[in-house]
Amino acid sequence: MEALLPLLKSHPGPSVLVCSLLFRVAHQLLQRLPVPKVVQQDAFRSWKWKNLSVSMVHSLLTGTWALTCVVIWPETLSNIHKFHTPLSYVLICVSTGYFVQDAGDIILTGHARGSWEFLLHHAMVIWCFLYALYTELYIAGALIALFVEVNSVTLHLRLMLKLAGAQSSSMYHINKFANLFTYVIFRLSTQFYLTWYIIQNYSWLDHGGCFLVTMMVMNIMIVIYFYRLLRADFFPRSKSYVGQNGTHNNNSKKFLSD
């Protein structure tokens, strides 16, 4: 890993593109796995299933990777500005490649208009992560931000079960509580901790204003989605078409969450 690091640091942009291509290869390989018939019969559901499959791989990989790094190097939590290790730098490079690939998949398949909120999220993540890779600052912050991928595992599973028409299954019932728990612990708490850190150290952080604005926009998005998640899974009002974000939606396909 340490032998690879100088190459990545000297060429962060191309390294991200290579990682993006690797996720595209994973996308092609995952298409060979069996897909529920109800998913195969609808073009949108079929695309969404393939997209979520790659997202699931990314979440399982990076969520576990990020937690492991913090367990081994606890300083990651306290020195968000400058601390990083070879393993954490590679992680941010890999994850940035995924977000580039996923944004490209959404745009090139013609789903950009209905997925603008998701693309906005990706754009903010990509610029923050690229800044970290090029400056070698905030690598620890980017790693902590990837804690949200632990919750993304249950979010993706939730939506895949809905796409497969398995909302009444015991797995879906168990997952919705696991999803609620991980949303609070790994998504809300992570975002608010990073926001608190930036506010507390705003006076001396590099480009603190830009990062604070980015965090506030993302905080608003995740709170809104949390409300929609609670309304859909715990306070349902009526049955309707399952949109891209897994909530009930009669009029459009929305794509709100990673």
Side-chain angles (χ1 to χ4, degrees), residues 13-242:
S15 299
V16 167
L17 292 178
V18 170
C19 292
S20 179
L21 289 175
L22 291 176
F23 275 106
R24 197 60 193 173
V25 171
H27 180 278
Q28 297 300 317
L29 293 176
L30 288 169
Q31 292 188 38
R32 300 180 182 181
L33 297 178
V35 177
K37 290 184 179 180
V38 67
V39 173
Q40 293 178 339
Q41 294 170 357
D42 182 87
F44 169 74
R45 287 174 180 246
S46 180
W47 168 78
K48 181 59 178 164
W49 184 276
K50 295 172 185 177
N51 180 273
L52 279 171
S53 298
V54 182
S55 297
M56 181 68 84
V57 170
H58 169 258
S59 296
L60 287 169
L61 174 65
T62 59
T64 304
W65 194 335
L67 290 176
T68 301
C69 284
V70 170
V71 170
I72 298 175
W73 297 285
E75 187 181 349
T76 301
L77 294 174
S78 58
N79 190 359
I80 288 176
H81 183 238
K82 288 187 177 181
F83 180 78
H84 74 274
T85 65
L87 201 59
S88 61
Y89 189 93
V90 175
L91 169 59
I92 303 309
C93 189
V94 170
S95 188
T96 307
Y98 159 75
F99 286 110
V100 170
Q101 183 278 146
D102 198 49
D105 182 56
I106 295 171
I107 295 170
L108 295 177
T109 53
H111 294 93
R113 185 175 181 179
S115 311
W116 69 268
E117 290 173 84
F118 200 40
L119 288 175
L120 174 61
H121 168 271
H122 278 21
M124 291 188 292
V125 171
I126 290 170
W127 97 256
C128 289
F129 282 17
L130 284 177
Y131 179 93
L133 291 173
Y134 274 98
T135 64
E136 298 182 33
L137 299 174
Y138 300 107
I139 295 292
L143 185 146
I144 293 171
L146 287 174
F147 283 8
V148 303
E149 296 302 328
V150 176
N151 169 244
S152 292
V153 172
T154 56
L155 276 176
H156 298 332
L157 179 58
R158 170 182 179 271
L159 185 46
M160 293 178 84
L161 289 170
K162 282 202 167 189
L163 290 172
Q167 297 96 314
S168 60
S169 66
S170 58
M171 181 178 292
Y172 185 90
H173 183 73
I174 294 171
N175 183 73
K176 77 175 183 179
F177 287 100
N179 188 36
L180 179 64
F181 175 78
T182 57
Y183 202 105
V184 173
I185 300 300
F186 292 102
R187 191 172 293 270
L188 289 174
S189 298
T190 295
Q191 289 289 127
F192 293 154
Y193 173 72
L194 291 173
T195 303
W196 172 84
Y197 184 92
I198 293 173
I199 292 174
Q200 288 291 108
N201 302 282
Y202 179 81
S203 61
W204 61 268
L205 287 176
D206 296 275
H207 298 93
C210 294
F211 284 103
L212 182 58
V213 170
T214 300
M215 291 303 299
M216 293 307 295
V217 173
M218 295 183 73
N219 288 344
I220 292 171
M221 292 176 68
I222 67 170
V223 169
I224 292 174
Y225 184 73
F226 187 53
Y227 163 73
R228 291 175 175 172
L229 185 70
L230 289 174
R231 188 181 64 185
D233 273 357
F234 297 94
F235 306 100
R237 290 186 288 185
S238 62
K239 293 184 177 181
S240 56
Y241 180 79
V242 179

